[in-house]
Amino acid sequence: MLASILSFTVVAALLTVTPGVDTMLVLSQGLRGGRRTAVACGLGINTGLVCWAAASVLGLSALLAASHAAYEIVRLLGAAYLVYVGARGLLMTWRRRGGADGGAPVPGTETRRTALAAYRRGITTNLLNPKVGVFYISLLPQFAPAGHRSAAVMMLLAGIHLTLSIVWLTAMAWLASRVLRTLSTKVTTRLERISGAVMIGLGVRIAAQGS
């Protein structure tokens, strides 16, 4: 049992730190609004993980994986949302350039409303990613020893993945806030534009991949 848990932890850690949508989203939110905004986005993503874990235990993820039409709908909605988030980020940088919103963001001035918006982006992006549900129903049982594939064991493995995700995304939030504080406004704006373009690219790639 312990060996299986340790093996899963290693695999989950490698998957967590592999650059993907979640990491890019937290970094982009941190560059835009600072640490509080990035942390809120990470909390939204991890809330989505909790929902997917519960769905996998209840068997809802299996239904999604079994239904090609449902999977495709969720996947395409997720891709469209990523394109929207990326495009919105790019639009905001161009508006700042024109002085439409009073200039670039200042570290430490994020509002509660901004943090809530980042939280919504995090949870929406995660819940519209059906691959997370497929990950739980396909990978977790492989690391649960025969005879120990109960709901409690599945939730334990999901909890390990959630913990790793919290640590990693919090670190990314800290990194983004440090970048925002140390780089010039011009450089930070360029990084925001790059992250926005990457988000659009990820959305387009997901839409074009198929299942």
Side-chain angles (χ1 to χ4, degrees):
M1 180 70 172
L2 180 59
S4 298
I5 292 176
L6 291 176
S7 298
F8 174 79
T9 301
V10 172
V11 172
L14 291 174
L15 292 174
T16 300
V17 302
T18 300
V21 173
D22 293 346
T23 299
M24 283 303 307
L25 185 61
V26 169
L27 287 175
S28 66
Q29 294 299 297
L31 289 172
R32 187 178 306 165
R35 183 170 57 186
R36 180 179 177 183
T37 302
V39 169
C41 181
L43 287 175
I45 291 170
N46 289 309
T47 301
L49 290 179
V50 172
C51 294
W52 279 117
S56 66
V57 171
L58 295 174
L60 300 179
S61 294
L63 292 176
L64 177 64
S67 173
H68 179 75
Y71 183 94
E72 286 297 291
I73 289 173
V74 175
R75 181 181 66 82
L76 291 175
L77 286 174
Y81 188 72
L82 286 177
V83 172
Y84 163 75
V85 171
R88 189 173 186 275
L90 287 175
L91 181 60
M92 289 178 66
T93 63
W94 287 109
R95 283 179 175 174
R96 285 206 301 269
R97 183 181 181 183
D101 60 0
V106 178
T109 62
E110 317 90 70
T111 64
R112 184 177 181 182
R113 184 176 180 181
T114 302
L116 288 174
Y119 177 86
R120 288 195 298 269
R121 290 190 188 100
I123 190 172
T124 301
T125 301
N126 191 267
L127 291 179
L128 289 178
N129 184 2
K131 291 185 178 180
V132 180
V134 174
F135 163 79
Y136 279 131
I137 65 173
S138 61
L139 190 63
L140 266 60
Q142 297 182 34
F143 288 90
H148 295 277
R149 294 175 181 173
S150 63
V153 173
M154 295 297 105
M155 290 305 295
L156 171 62
L157 296 178
I160 292 173
H161 179 242
L162 176 65
T163 301
L164 293 171
S165 177
I166 291 173
V167 172
W168 175 251
L169 293 181
T170 300
M172 291 300 98
W174 177 85
L175 176 62
S177 68
R178 293 293 297 177
V179 169
L180 185 62
R181 291 176 184 274
T182 57
L183 297 181
S184 66
T185 299
K186 188 174 182 179
V187 173
T188 303
T189 299
R190 287 178 180 174
L191 289 176
E192 281 189 73
R193 290 174 181 169
I194 292 173
S195 67
V198 170
M199 294 298 290
I200 293 174
L202 286 171
V204 171
R205 188 184 71 175
I206 290 172
Q209 279 180 330
S211 58

mmCIF file with all atom_site columns, all heavy atoms in Angstrom, residues 151-176:
data_model
loop_
_atom_site.group_PDB
_atom_site.id
_atom_site.type_symbol
_atom_site.label_atom_id
_atom_site.label_alt_id
_atom_site.label_comp_id
_atom_site.label_asym_id
_atom_site.label_entity_id
_atom_site.label_seq_id
_atom_site.pdbx_PDB_ins_code
_atom_site.Cartn_x
_atom_site.Cartn_y
_atom_site.Cartn_z
_atom_site.occupancy
_atom_site.B_iso_or_equiv
_atom_site.pdbx_formal_charge
_atom_site.auth_seq_id
_atom_site.auth_comp_id
_atom_site.auth_asym_id
_atom_site.auth_atom_id
_atom_site.pdbx_PDB_model_num
ATOM 1   N N   . ALA A 1 151 ? -13.627 3.992  -2.106  1.00 0.00 ? 151 ALA A N   1
ATOM 2   C CA  . ALA A 1 151 ? -13.753 5.437  -2.289  1.00 0.00 ? 151 ALA A CA  1
ATOM 3   C C   . ALA A 1 151 ? -12.752 6.187  -1.416  1.00 0.00 ? 151 ALA A C   1
ATOM 4   O O   . ALA A 1 151 ? -12.202 7.209  -1.832  1.00 0.00 ? 151 ALA A O   1
ATOM 5   C CB  . ALA A 1 151 ? -15.181 5.870  -1.957  1.00 0.00 ? 151 ALA A CB  1
ATOM 6   N N   . ALA A 1 152 ? -12.487 5.649  -0.211  1.00 0.00 ? 152 ALA A N   1
ATOM 7   C CA  . ALA A 1 152 ? -11.552 6.307  0.700   1.00 0.00 ? 152 ALA A CA  1
ATOM 8   C C   . ALA A 1 152 ? -10.139 6.339  0.117   1.00 0.00 ? 152 ALA A C   1
ATOM 9   O O   . ALA A 1 152 ? -9.428  7.355  0.211   1.00 0.00 ? 152 ALA A O   1
ATOM 10  C CB  . ALA A 1 152 ? -11.551 5.600  2.057   1.00 0.00 ? 152 ALA A CB  1
ATOM 11  N N   . VAL A 1 153 ? -9.718  5.232  -0.496  1.00 0.00 ? 153 VAL A N   1
ATOM 12  C CA  . VAL A 1 153 ? -8.382  5.171  -1.085  1.00 0.00 ? 153 VAL A CA  1
ATOM 13  C C   . VAL A 1 153 ? -8.293  6.101  -2.284  1.00 0.00 ? 153 VAL A C   1
ATOM 14  O O   . VAL A 1 153 ? -7.284  6.804  -2.479  1.00 0.00 ? 153 VAL A O   1
ATOM 15  C CB  . VAL A 1 153 ? -8.033  3.725  -1.491  1.00 0.00 ? 153 VAL A CB  1
ATOM 16  C CG1 . VAL A 1 153 ? -6.706  3.683  -2.255  1.00 0.00 ? 153 VAL A CG1 1
ATOM 17  C CG2 . VAL A 1 153 ? -7.952  2.834  -0.265  1.00 0.00 ? 153 VAL A CG2 1
ATOM 18  N N   . MET A 1 154 ? -9.350  6.124  -3.102  1.00 0.00 ? 154 MET A N   1
ATOM 19  C CA  . MET A 1 154 ? -9.358  7.016  -4.258  1.00 0.00 ? 154 MET A CA  1
ATOM 20  C C   . MET A 1 154 ? -9.262  8.481  -3.824  1.00 0.00 ? 154 MET A C   1
ATOM 21  O O   . MET A 1 154 ? -8.536  9.271  -4.424  1.00 0.00 ? 154 MET A O   1
ATOM 22  C CB  . MET A 1 154 ? -10.640 6.803  -5.078  1.00 0.00 ? 154 MET A CB  1
ATOM 23  C CG  . MET A 1 154 ? -10.778 5.443  -5.732  1.00 0.00 ? 154 MET A CG  1
ATOM 24  S SD  . MET A 1 154 ? -9.505  5.089  -6.963  1.00 0.00 ? 154 MET A SD  1
ATOM 25  C CE  . MET A 1 154 ? -8.482  3.937  -6.012  1.00 0.00 ? 154 MET A CE  1
ATOM 26  N N   . MET A 1 155 ? -9.978  8.828  -2.782  1.00 0.00 ? 155 MET A N   1
ATOM 27  C CA  . MET A 1 155 ? -9.942  10.197 -2.282  1.00 0.00 ? 155 MET A CA  1
ATOM 28  C C   . MET A 1 155 ? -8.581  10.523 -1.668  1.00 0.00 ? 155 MET A C   1
ATOM 29  O O   . MET A 1 155 ? -8.110  11.664 -1.737  1.00 0.00 ? 155 MET A O   1
ATOM 30  C CB  . MET A 1 155 ? -11.054 10.422 -1.262  1.00 0.00 ? 155 MET A CB  1
ATOM 31  C CG  . MET A 1 155 ? -12.453 10.423 -1.867  1.00 0.00 ? 155 MET A CG  1
ATOM 32  S SD  . MET A 1 155 ? -12.662 11.634 -3.228  1.00 0.00 ? 155 MET A SD  1
ATOM 33  C CE  . MET A 1 155 ? -12.459 13.185 -2.339  1.00 0.00 ? 155 MET A CE  1
ATOM 34  N N   . LEU A 1 156 ? -7.932  9.513  -1.064  1.00 0.00 ? 156 LEU A N   1
ATOM 35  C CA  . LEU A 1 156 ? -6.589  9.722  -0.511  1.00 0.00 ? 156 LEU A CA  1
ATOM 36  C C   . LEU A 1 156 ? -5.615  10.073 -1.631  1.00 0.00 ? 156 LEU A C   1
ATOM 37  O O   . LEU A 1 156 ? -4.834  11.033 -1.512  1.00 0.00 ? 156 LEU A O   1
ATOM 38  C CB  . LEU A 1 156 ? -6.119  8.467  0.214   1.00 0.00 ? 156 LEU A CB  1
ATOM 39  C CG  . LEU A 1 156 ? -4.639  8.464  0.654   1.00 0.00 ? 156 LEU A CG  1
ATOM 40  C CD1 . LEU A 1 156 ? -4.380  9.589  1.648   1.00 0.00 ? 156 LEU A CD1 1
ATOM 41  C CD2 . LEU A 1 156 ? -4.261  7.108  1.248   1.00 0.00 ? 156 LEU A CD2 1
ATOM 42  N N   . LEU A 1 157 ? -5.654  9.327  -2.721  1.00 0.00 ? 157 LEU A N   1
ATOM 43  C CA  . LEU A 1 157 ? -4.772  9.603  -3.854  1.00 0.00 ? 157 LEU A CA  1
ATOM 44  C C   . LEU A 1 157 ? -5.098  10.959 -4.480  1.00 0.00 ? 157 LEU A C   1
ATOM 45  O O   . LEU A 1 157 ? -4.193  11.728 -4.829  1.00 0.00 ? 157 LEU A O   1
ATOM 46  C CB  . LEU A 1 157 ? -4.901  8.493  -4.897  1.00 0.00 ? 157 LEU A CB  1
ATOM 47  C CG  . LEU A 1 157 ? -4.455  7.090  -4.456  1.00 0.00 ? 157 LEU A CG  1
ATOM 48  C CD1 . LEU A 1 157 ? -4.675  6.085  -5.575  1.00 0.00 ? 157 LEU A CD1 1
ATOM 49  C CD2 . LEU A 1 157 ? -2.998  7.096  -4.019  1.00 0.00 ? 157 LEU A CD2 1
ATOM 50  N N   . ALA A 1 158 ? -6.388  11.252 -4.607  1.00 0.00 ? 158 ALA A N   1
ATOM 51  C CA  . ALA A 1 158 ? -6.784  12.559 -5.136  1.00 0.00 ? 158 ALA A CA  1
ATOM 52  C C   . ALA A 1 158 ? -6.315  13.679 -4.212  1.00 0.00 ? 158 ALA A C   1
ATOM 53  O O   . ALA A 1 158 ? -5.914  14.750 -4.671  1.00 0.00 ? 158 ALA A O   1
ATOM 54  C CB  . ALA A 1 158 ? -8.300  12.612 -5.309  1.00 0.00 ? 158 ALA A CB  1
ATOM 55  N N   . GLY A 1 159 ? -6.346  13.423 -2.897  1.00 0.00 ? 159 GLY A N   1
ATOM 56  C CA  . GLY A 1 159 ? -5.878  14.421 -1.937  1.00 0.00 ? 159 GLY A CA  1
ATOM 57  C C   . GLY A 1 159 ? -4.391  14.686 -2.069  1.00 0.00 ? 159 GLY A C   1
ATOM 58  O O   . GLY A 1 159 ? -3.936  15.828 -1.898  1.00 0.00 ? 159 GLY A O   1
ATOM 59  N N   . ILE A 1 160 ? -3.624  13.644 -2.381  1.00 0.00 ? 160 ILE A N   1
ATOM 60  C CA  . ILE A 1 160 ? -2.184  13.823 -2.608  1.00 0.00 ? 160 ILE A CA  1
ATOM 61  C C   . ILE A 1 160 ? -1.961  14.713 -3.825  1.00 0.00 ? 160 ILE A C   1
ATOM 62  O O   . ILE A 1 160 ? -1.147  15.650 -3.792  1.00 0.00 ? 160 ILE A O   1
ATOM 63  C CB  . ILE A 1 160 ? -1.503  12.456 -2.803  1.00 0.00 ? 160 ILE A CB  1
ATOM 64  C CG1 . ILE A 1 160 ? -1.527  11.668 -1.495  1.00 0.00 ? 160 ILE A CG1 1
ATOM 65  C CG2 . ILE A 1 160 ? -0.063  12.631 -3.301  1.00 0.00 ? 160 ILE A CG2 1
ATOM 66  C CD1 . ILE A 1 160 ? -1.024  10.243 -1.622  1.00 0.00 ? 160 ILE A CD1 1
ATOM 67  N N   . HIS A 1 161 ? -2.692  14.425 -4.888  1.00 0.00 ? 161 HIS A N   1
ATOM 68  C CA  . HIS A 1 161 ? -2.574  15.251 -6.099  1.00 0.00 ? 161 HIS A CA  1
ATOM 69  C C   . HIS A 1 161 ? -2.989  16.697 -5.815  1.00 0.00 ? 161 HIS A C   1
ATOM 70  O O   . HIS A 1 161 ? -2.345  17.650 -6.277  1.00 0.00 ? 161 HIS A O   1
ATOM 71  C CB  . HIS A 1 161 ? -3.438  14.663 -7.213  1.00 0.00 ? 161 HIS A CB  1
ATOM 72  C CG  . HIS A 1 161 ? -3.398  15.459 -8.470  1.00 0.00 ? 161 HIS A CG  1
ATOM 73  N ND1 . HIS A 1 161 ? -4.509  16.060 -9.016  1.00 0.00 ? 161 HIS A ND1 1
ATOM 74  C CD2 . HIS A 1 161 ? -2.356  15.792 -9.287  1.00 0.00 ? 161 HIS A CD2 1
ATOM 75  C CE1 . HIS A 1 161 ? -4.170  16.715 -10.107 1.00 0.00 ? 161 HIS A CE1 1
ATOM 76  N NE2 . HIS A 1 161 ? -2.869  16.565 -10.302 1.00 0.00 ? 161 HIS A NE2 1
ATOM 77  N N   . LEU A 1 162 ? -4.043  16.876 -5.051  1.00 0.00 ? 162 LEU A N   1
ATOM 78  C CA  . LEU A 1 162 ? -4.511  18.219 -4.704  1.00 0.00 ? 162 LEU A CA  1
ATOM 79  C C   . LEU A 1 162 ? -3.462  18.972 -3.899  1.00 0.00 ? 162 LEU A C   1
ATOM 80  O O   . LEU A 1 162 ? -3.202  20.153 -4.154  1.00 0.00 ? 162 LEU A O   1
ATOM 81  C CB  . LEU A 1 162 ? -5.812  18.122 -3.906  1.00 0.00 ? 162 LEU A CB  1
ATOM 82  C CG  . LEU A 1 162 ? -6.393  19.439 -3.381  1.00 0.00 ? 162 LEU A CG  1
ATOM 83  C CD1 . LEU A 1 162 ? -6.802  20.334 -4.544  1.00 0.00 ? 162 LEU A CD1 1
ATOM 84  C CD2 . LEU A 1 162 ? -7.585  19.174 -2.471  1.00 0.00 ? 162 LEU A CD2 1
ATOM 85  N N   . THR A 1 163 ? -2.843  18.293 -2.938  1.00 0.00 ? 163 THR A N   1
ATOM 86  C CA  . THR A 1 163 ? -1.810  18.927 -2.118  1.00 0.00 ? 163 THR A CA  1
ATOM 87  C C   . THR A 1 163 ? -0.633  19.379 -2.967  1.00 0.00 ? 163 THR A C   1
ATOM 88  O O   . THR A 1 163 ? -0.120  20.499 -2.815  1.00 0.00 ? 163 THR A O   1
ATOM 89  C CB  . THR A 1 163 ? -1.322  17.959 -1.040  1.00 0.00 ? 163 THR A CB  1
ATOM 90  O OG1 . THR A 1 163 ? -2.431  17.571 -0.216  1.00 0.00 ? 163 THR A OG1 1
ATOM 91  C CG2 . THR A 1 163 ? -0.251  18.608 -0.167  1.00 0.00 ? 163 THR A CG2 1
ATOM 92  N N   . LEU A 1 164 ? -0.197  18.508 -3.876  1.00 0.00 ? 164 LEU A N   1
ATOM 93  C CA  . LEU A 1 164 ? 0.897   18.862 -4.780  1.00 0.00 ? 164 LEU A CA  1
ATOM 94  C C   . LEU A 1 164 ? 0.525   20.060 -5.649  1.00 0.00 ? 164 LEU A C   1
ATOM 95  O O   . LEU A 1 164 ? 1.346   20.957 -5.876  1.00 0.00 ? 164 LEU A O   1
ATOM 96  C CB  . LEU A 1 164 ? 1.244   17.661 -5.660  1.00 0.00 ? 164 LEU A CB  1
ATOM 97  C CG  . LEU A 1 164 ? 1.861   16.456 -4.950  1.00 0.00 ? 164 LEU A CG  1
ATOM 98  C CD1 . LEU A 1 164 ? 1.939   15.261 -5.904  1.00 0.00 ? 164 LEU A CD1 1
ATOM 99  C CD2 . LEU A 1 164 ? 3.245   16.791 -4.410  1.00 0.00 ? 164 LEU A CD2 1
ATOM 100 N N   . SER A 1 165 ? -0.713  20.082 -6.112  1.00 0.00 ? 165 SER A N   1
ATOM 101 C CA  . SER A 1 165 ? -1.174  21.189 -6.943  1.00 0.00 ? 165 SER A CA  1
ATOM 102 C C   . SER A 1 165 ? -1.192  22.500 -6.164  1.00 0.00 ? 165 SER A C   1
ATOM 103 O O   . SER A 1 165 ? -0.791  23.546 -6.687  1.00 0.00 ? 165 SER A O   1
ATOM 104 C CB  . SER A 1 165 ? -2.578  20.875 -7.483  1.00 0.00 ? 165 SER A CB  1
ATOM 105 O OG  . SER A 1 165 ? -3.086  21.967 -8.231  1.00 0.00 ? 165 SER A OG  1
ATOM 106 N N   . ILE A 1 166 ? -1.650  22.448 -4.920  1.00 0.00 ? 166 ILE A N   1
ATOM 107 C CA  . ILE A 1 166 ? -1.689  23.656 -4.089  1.00 0.00 ? 166 ILE A CA  1
ATOM 108 C C   . ILE A 1 166 ? -0.287  24.217 -3.898  1.00 0.00 ? 166 ILE A C   1
ATOM 109 O O   . ILE A 1 166 ? -0.044  25.420 -4.045  1.00 0.00 ? 166 ILE A O   1
ATOM 110 C CB  . ILE A 1 166 ? -2.340  23.360 -2.723  1.00 0.00 ? 166 ILE A CB  1
ATOM 111 C CG1 . ILE A 1 166 ? -3.835  23.069 -2.900  1.00 0.00 ? 166 ILE A CG1 1
ATOM 112 C CG2 . ILE A 1 166 ? -2.127  24.527 -1.757  1.00 0.00 ? 166 ILE A CG2 1
ATOM 113 C CD1 . ILE A 1 166 ? -4.515  22.602 -1.630  1.00 0.00 ? 166 ILE A CD1 1
ATOM 114 N N   . VAL A 1 167 ? 0.666   23.347 -3.577  1.00 0.00 ? 167 VAL A N   1
ATOM 115 C CA  . VAL A 1 167 ? 2.052   23.780 -3.352  1.00 0.00 ? 167 VAL A CA  1
ATOM 116 C C   . VAL A 1 167 ? 2.636   24.381 -4.626  1.00 0.00 ? 167 VAL A C   1
ATOM 117 O O   . VAL A 1 167 ? 3.240   25.463 -4.609  1.00 0.00 ? 167 VAL A O   1
ATOM 118 C CB  . VAL A 1 167 ? 2.917   22.596 -2.877  1.00 0.00 ? 167 VAL A CB  1
ATOM 119 C CG1 . VAL A 1 167 ? 4.392   23.003 -2.823  1.00 0.00 ? 167 VAL A CG1 1
ATOM 120 C CG2 . VAL A 1 167 ? 2.458   22.119 -1.499  1.00 0.00 ? 167 VAL A CG2 1
ATOM 121 N N   . TRP A 1 168 ? 2.448   23.699 -5.751  1.00 0.00 ? 168 TRP A N   1
ATOM 122 C CA  . TRP A 1 168 ? 3.023   24.151 -7.013  1.00 0.00 ? 168 TRP A CA  1
ATOM 123 C C   . TRP A 1 168 ? 2.413   25.472 -7.478  1.00 0.00 ? 168 TRP A C   1
ATOM 124 O O   . TRP A 1 168 ? 3.144   26.407 -7.839  1.00 0.00 ? 168 TRP A O   1
ATOM 125 C CB  . TRP A 1 168 ? 2.827   23.087 -8.082  1.00 0.00 ? 168 TRP A CB  1
ATOM 126 C CG  . TRP A 1 168 ? 3.270   23.504 -9.451  1.00 0.00 ? 168 TRP A CG  1
ATOM 127 C CD1 . TRP A 1 168 ? 2.474   23.784 -10.528 1.00 0.00 ? 168 TRP A CD1 1
ATOM 128 C CD2 . TRP A 1 168 ? 4.618   23.711 -9.899  1.00 0.00 ? 168 TRP A CD2 1
ATOM 129 N NE1 . TRP A 1 168 ? 3.237   24.144 -11.619 1.00 0.00 ? 168 TRP A NE1 1
ATOM 130 C CE2 . TRP A 1 168 ? 4.552   24.107 -11.260 1.00 0.00 ? 168 TRP A CE2 1
ATOM 131 C CE3 . TRP A 1 168 ? 5.868   23.591 -9.282  1.00 0.00 ? 168 TRP A CE3 1
ATOM 132 C CZ2 . TRP A 1 168 ? 5.694   24.391 -12.009 1.00 0.00 ? 168 TRP A CZ2 1
ATOM 133 C CZ3 . TRP A 1 168 ? 7.009   23.874 -10.036 1.00 0.00 ? 168 TRP A CZ3 1
ATOM 134 C CH2 . TRP A 1 168 ? 6.911   24.262 -11.372 1.00 0.00 ? 168 TRP A CH2 1
ATOM 135 N N   . LEU A 1 169 ? 1.104   25.571 -7.462  1.00 0.00 ? 169 LEU A N   1
ATOM 136 C CA  . LEU A 1 169 ? 0.462   26.787 -7.950  1.00 0.00 ? 169 LEU A CA  1
ATOM 137 C C   . LEU A 1 169 ? 0.712   27.967 -7.020  1.00 0.00 ? 169 LEU A C   1
ATOM 138 O O   . LEU A 1 169 ? 0.800   29.110 -7.475  1.00 0.00 ? 169 LEU A O   1
ATOM 139 C CB  . LEU A 1 169 ? -1.042  26.549 -8.129  1.00 0.00 ? 169 LEU A CB  1
ATOM 140 C CG  . LEU A 1 169 ? -1.420  25.553 -9.229  1.00 0.00 ? 169 LEU A CG  1
ATOM 141 C CD1 . LEU A 1 169 ? -2.935  25.418 -9.336  1.00 0.00 ? 169 LEU A CD1 1
ATOM 142 C CD2 . LEU A 1 169 ? -0.823  25.955 -10.569 1.00 0.00 ? 169 LEU A CD2 1
ATOM 143 N N   . THR A 1 170 ? 0.847   27.709 -5.727  1.00 0.00 ? 170 THR A N   1
ATOM 144 C CA  . THR A 1 170 ? 1.214   28.790 -4.793  1.00 0.00 ? 170 THR A CA  1
ATOM 145 C C   . THR A 1 170 ? 2.621   29.293 -5.092  1.00 0.00 ? 170 THR A C   1
ATOM 146 O O   . THR A 1 170 ? 2.880   30.501 -5.051  1.00 0.00 ? 170 THR A O   1
ATOM 147 C CB  . THR A 1 170 ? 1.126   28.302 -3.343  1.00 0.00 ? 170 THR A CB  1
ATOM 148 O OG1 . THR A 1 170 ? -0.212  27.870 -3.058  1.00 0.00 ? 170 THR A OG1 1
ATOM 149 C CG2 . THR A 1 170 ? 1.500   29.414 -2.367  1.00 0.00 ? 170 THR A CG2 1
ATOM 150 N N   . ALA A 1 171 ? 3.525   28.363 -5.419  1.00 0.00 ? 171 ALA A N   1
ATOM 151 C CA  . ALA A 1 171 ? 4.878   28.758 -5.797  1.00 0.00 ? 171 ALA A CA  1
ATOM 152 C C   . ALA A 1 171 ? 4.868   29.588 -7.075  1.00 0.00 ? 171 ALA A C   1
ATOM 153 O O   . ALA A 1 171 ? 5.603   30.575 -7.192  1.00 0.00 ? 171 ALA A O   1
ATOM 154 C CB  . ALA A 1 171 ? 5.749   27.517 -5.972  1.00 0.00 ? 171 ALA A CB  1
ATOM 155 N N   . MET A 1 172 ? 4.014   29.206 -8.029  1.00 0.00 ? 172 MET A N   1
ATOM 156 C CA  . MET A 1 172 ? 3.908   29.970 -9.263  1.00 0.00 ? 172 MET A CA  1
ATOM 157 C C   . MET A 1 172 ? 3.332   31.360 -9.008  1.00 0.00 ? 172 MET A C   1
ATOM 158 O O   . MET A 1 172 ? 3.730   32.346 -9.646  1.00 0.00 ? 172 MET A O   1
ATOM 159 C CB  . MET A 1 172 ? 3.038   29.212 -10.274 1.00 0.00 ? 172 MET A CB  1
ATOM 160 C CG  . MET A 1 172 ? 3.655   27.935 -10.817 1.00 0.00 ? 172 MET A CG  1
ATOM 161 S SD  . MET A 1 172 ? 5.228   28.190 -11.702 1.00 0.00 ? 172 MET A SD  1
ATOM 162 C CE  . MET A 1 172 ? 6.409   27.782 -10.388 1.00 0.00 ? 172 MET A CE  1
ATOM 163 N N   . ALA A 1 173 ? 2.398   31.438 -8.072  1.00 0.00 ? 173 ALA A N   1
ATOM 164 C CA  . ALA A 1 173 ? 1.816   32.737 -7.706  1.00 0.00 ? 173 ALA A CA  1
ATOM 165 C C   . ALA A 1 173 ? 2.885   33.637 -7.103  1.00 0.00 ? 173 ALA A C   1
ATOM 166 O O   . ALA A 1 173 ? 2.962   34.836 -7.414  1.00 0.00 ? 173 ALA A O   1
ATOM 167 C CB  . ALA A 1 173 ? 0.667   32.537 -6.724  1.00 0.00 ? 173 ALA A CB  1
ATOM 168 N N   . TRP A 1 174 ? 3.719   33.064 -6.251  1.00 0.00 ? 174 TRP A N   1
ATOM 169 C CA  . TRP A 1 174 ? 4.812   33.831 -5.637  1.00 0.00 ? 174 TRP A CA  1
ATOM 170 C C   . TRP A 1 174 ? 5.794   34.293 -6.703  1.00 0.00 ? 174 TRP A C   1
ATOM 171 O O   . TRP A 1 174 ? 6.242   35.447 -6.701  1.00 0.00 ? 174 TRP A O   1
ATOM 172 C CB  . TRP A 1 174 ? 5.527   32.973 -4.604  1.00 0.00 ? 174 TRP A CB  1
ATOM 173 C CG  . TRP A 1 174 ? 6.713   33.650 -3.971  1.00 0.00 ? 174 TRP A CG  1
ATOM 174 C CD1 . TRP A 1 174 ? 6.705   34.501 -2.907  1.00 0.00 ? 174 TRP A CD1 1
ATOM 175 C CD2 . TRP A 1 174 ? 8.080   33.545 -4.395  1.00 0.00 ? 174 TRP A CD2 1
ATOM 176 N NE1 . TRP A 1 174 ? 7.983   34.938 -2.633  1.00 0.00 ? 174 TRP A NE1 1
ATOM 177 C CE2 . TRP A 1 174 ? 8.839   34.365 -3.534  1.00 0.00 ? 174 TRP A CE2 1
ATOM 178 C CE3 . TRP A 1 174 ? 8.716   32.833 -5.405  1.00 0.00 ? 174 TRP A CE3 1
ATOM 179 C CZ2 . TRP A 1 174 ? 10.220  34.484 -3.664  1.00 0.00 ? 174 TRP A CZ2 1
ATOM 180 C CZ3 . TRP A 1 174 ? 10.094  32.959 -5.543  1.00 0.00 ? 174 TRP A CZ3 1
ATOM 181 C CH2 . TRP A 1 174 ? 10.832  33.776 -4.674  1.00 0.00 ? 174 TRP A CH2 1
ATOM 182 N N   . LEU A 1 175 ? 6.123   33.393 -7.637  1.00 0.00 ? 175 LEU A N   1
ATOM 183 C CA  . LEU A 1 175 ? 7.059   33.738 -8.704  1.00 0.00 ? 175 LEU A CA  1
ATOM 184 C C   . LEU A 1 175 ? 6.519   34.881 -9.556  1.00 0.00 ? 175 LEU A C   1
ATOM 185 O O   . LEU A 1 175 ? 7.244   35.833 -9.876  1.00 0.00 ? 175 LEU A O   1
ATOM 186 C CB  . LEU A 1 175 ? 7.315   32.509 -9.576  1.00 0.00 ? 175 LEU A CB  1
ATOM 187 C CG  . LEU A 1 175 ? 8.202   32.730 -10.811 1.00 0.00 ? 175 LEU A CG  1
ATOM 188 C CD1 . LEU A 1 175 ? 9.592   33.175 -10.395 1.00 0.00 ? 175 LEU A CD1 1
ATOM 189 C CD2 . LEU A 1 175 ? 8.279   31.452 -11.645 1.00 0.00 ? 175 LEU A CD2 1
ATOM 190 N N   . ALA A 1 176 ? 5.249   34.796 -9.911  1.00 0.00 ? 176 ALA A N   1
ATOM 191 C CA  . ALA A 1 176 ? 4.652   35.840 -10.742 1.00 0.00 ? 176 ALA A CA  1
ATOM 192 C C   . ALA A 1 176 ? 4.645   37.179 -10.024 1.00 0.00 ? 176 ALA A C   1
ATOM 193 O O   . ALA A 1 176 ? 4.909   38.229 -10.635 1.00 0.00 ? 176 ALA A O   1
ATOM 194 C CB  . ALA A 1 176 ? 3.232   35.448 -11.136 1.00 0.00 ? 176 ALA A CB  1
#
